[in-house]
Amino acid sequence: MLMNAPATFIQSYIDDLNDALNQLKPGAALTRIQAAWLGTCLTGILLMNSVCWAKFERACLGDCKVAALS
């Protein structure tokens, strides 16, 4: 399987998390980069069933390097 975009339920979770953060403290929300990073990590954990940066790199087909992930 390839990790080119987060699963839809993961994206929904991130959107709900952003909404909750904004309700607790107006103006406090995840940045676009933070949301993308969280989506990559959660999707990688789901697909690989582990937290292994080398496996994430292989699943991204080289778009993400181990040095950039860790």
Side-chain angles (χ1 to χ4, degrees), residues 11-51:
Q11 189 60 51
S12 295
Y13 171 75
I14 293 171
D15 293 339
D16 291 345
L17 177 64
N18 247 346
D19 292 341
L21 287 172
N22 208 7
Q23 285 178 357
L24 290 173
K25 184 177 179 184
L30 295 174
T31 64
R32 186 178 49 84
I33 292 172
Q34 289 172 328
W37 173 250
L38 183 58
T40 299
C41 289
L42 292 176
T43 302
I45 292 168
L46 174 70
L47 294 176
M48 307 310 143
N49 199 25
S50 71
V51 181

Side-chain angles (χ1 to χ4, degrees), residues 5 7 10 19 25-26 30 38 45 52 54 56 59 63 65 68-69:
I10 291 175
D19 292 341
K25 184 177 179 184
L30 295 174
L38 183 58
I45 292 168
C52 177
F56 285 19
D63 287 341
K65 300 292 181 196
L69 291 168

